[in-house]
Amino acid sequence: MVDLSTVIAGVPLSNVFFNAAGAWCQREDELQALLDSGAGSLITKSATYEAREGNPTPRYAPLADGVISGGGGSISSIGLANEGYKYYLNYARQFDVTRHGKPLFISLSGLSLADSVKMVTAFAQAELSGCILEINFSCPNVPGKPQLGYDMNAMDTTLATLAPLIEKPFGIKLPPYFDMAHFDQVAAVVNKYDNLAFVTCINSVGNGLAIDLDTERAMIKPKNGFGGLGGRMILNTALANVNAFYRRLAPGKQVIGVGGVVSGKEAFLHILAGASAIQIGTQLMEEGPPVFDRVKRELESIMEKKGYNSVEEFRGKVKTL
């Protein structure tokens, strides 16, 4: 048997897979389904200070049939619908990492620095065991709120405030970057903060437009049909971001890969690019929590055929020409 276990921010996971923040994780019943699944961990919906209904529906649409076989993707503009940070704080207080055998990641997305300060302070004061914070710098679908991850100075200022408050190892969720200079600039900011232990990349590719041929209408309602792209179509952008940060981050800092994972093949490629763990979003939405058992089996099969006994044996070892 091959070993799919990993360690993120000093916390062990039985396997590398869990959900992407935003997929199957807003309410306790969804989180329970993740606990009952083959995922090695779970992360909550990105929480704001107050509960939010999010954008009007329809706000999510699959873009092709046959996603499992390797095609398609999704477009979404959820608008940070969530139950408010206190809901997830109460959940975390009751969470027993020993009983569940999985650590809990908490995603926070303050709409202002003041909100973020209040939320991270509350979680820090709760002294939760087996709970890891991921601060979302990359929601592209809140009207009037640009992504913090594209403003290097604002990101640095925010981290300078939040990192000392969090104290423990934590991570940030990043948008996709498309310029080598931006990889350099973001990595320089991340490397300044010792307890910033990981980056999660990528969030959806922002502001795509999907149009139905028959009706000649946009496929989602918010923002005149503009929304974030996910699924198989963003795999190569995700791999580039994973590898770019794997090469640039200081020793000990990690990358969690997300984007385009529909099978064990894409999971293997994420690890080869440098990912220490893998989140699944669109495919989880389409297939449900059983996706984790399937992709685990497929990744194990690929590793066995290639002669790898653990993910550490090939992590980050992509070859270049």
Side-chain angles (χ1 to χ4, degrees):
M1 294 292 292
V2 297
D3 182 8
L4 297 185
S5 67
T6 190
V7 176
I8 300 294
V11 178
L13 282 66
S14 61
N15 69 73
V16 296
F17 295 106
F18 59 118
N19 63 301
W24 222 280
C25 59
Q26 182 169 337
R27 299 178 304 276
E28 283 198 37
D29 59 326
E30 295 173 316
L31 295 168
Q32 184 61 49
L34 295 175
L35 285 174
D36 295 338
S37 77
S41 185
L42 68 161
I43 186 167
T44 59
K45 187 76 167 66
S46 290
T48 50
Y49 189 74
E50 302 285 353
R52 287 175 57 89
E53 292 185 5
N55 292 338
T57 58
R59 56 192 185 187
Y60 170 90
L63 295 184
D65 296 328
V67 176
I68 293 175
S69 62
S74 65
I75 185 167
S76 64
S77 182
I78 307 301
L80 282 176
N82 73 95
E83 307 301 313
Y85 90 95
K86 290 182 181 178
Y87 180 93
Y88 304 104
L89 178 58
N90 289 334
Y91 180 82
R93 283 177 170 145
Q94 301 167 24
F95 192 86
D96 187 337
V97 64
T98 302
R99 178 164 61 90
H100 296 309
K102 302 178 182 184
L104 174 66
F105 288 75
I106 298 286
S107 178
L108 301 176
S109 187
L111 298 179
S112 68
L113 180 54
D115 281 357
S116 294
V117 166
K118 287 183 282 190
M119 290 191 293
V120 301
T121 299
F123 275 92
Q125 291 176 345
E127 297 183 350
L128 303 166
S129 176
C131 177
I132 307 159
L133 293 184
E134 178 186 277
I135 311 301
N136 187 350
F137 281 1
S138 58
C139 180
N141 298 313
V142 177
K145 294 288 183 180
Q147 295 189 57
L148 189 65
Y150 288 137
D151 186 332
M152 311 305 170
N153 291 331
M155 187 161 52
D156 195 6
T157 299
T158 300
L159 287 170
T161 301
L162 298 184
L165 297 175
I166 297 171
E167 294 185 343
K168 296 193 303 182
F170 74 102
I172 57 176
K173 179 75 169 284
L174 294 174
Y177 298 99
F178 305 96
D179 193 298
M180 291 296 183
H182 293 157
F183 292 134
D184 294 338
Q185 292 165 8
V186 175
V189 171
V190 171
N191 286 336
K192 289 174 62 176
Y193 300 95
D194 290 341
N195 65 322
L196 207 177
F198 64 91
V199 299
T200 301
C201 52
I202 57 174
N203 208 328
S204 58
V205 176
N207 294 315
L209 177 63
I211 302 171
D212 183 270
L213 176 63
D214 295 330
T215 64
E216 302 179 12
R217 291 175 179 165
M219 294 183 67
I220 58 174
K221 184 173 182 177
K223 297 168 58 180
N224 294 315
F226 282 67
L229 302 176
R232 180 64 179 78
M233 68 175 71
I234 70 167
L235 172 66
N236 299 101
T237 298
L239 292 176
N241 278 256
V242 167
N243 190 244
F245 287 112
Y246 175 78
R247 293 175 182 274
R248 287 167 172 78
L249 294 185
K253 295 185 186 294
Q254 298 173 291
V255 182
I256 296 177
V258 55
V261 176
V262 300
S263 71
K265 173 186 174 181
E266 296 81 27
F268 183 90
L269 296 178
H270 265 276
I271 298 167
L272 197 65
S276 292
I278 298 161
Q279 295 178 353
I280 301 177
T282 294
Q283 191 61 33
L284 173 58
M285 295 295 292
E286 294 303 304
E287 190 175 342
V291 67
F292 294 110
D293 284 324
R294 177 178 64 79
V295 294
K296 278 196 304 182
R297 291 193 303 269
E298 292 169 350
L299 177 57
E300 288 169 346
S301 177
I302 292 170
M303 289 171 61
E304 288 170 354
K305 289 177 182 178
K306 288 179 171 288
Y308 293 120
N309 296 310
S310 73
V311 295
E312 291 302 314
E313 291 181 7
F314 64 97
R315 184 171 61 83
K317 294 184 179 179
V318 58
K319 302 170 186 175
T320 57
L321 299 179

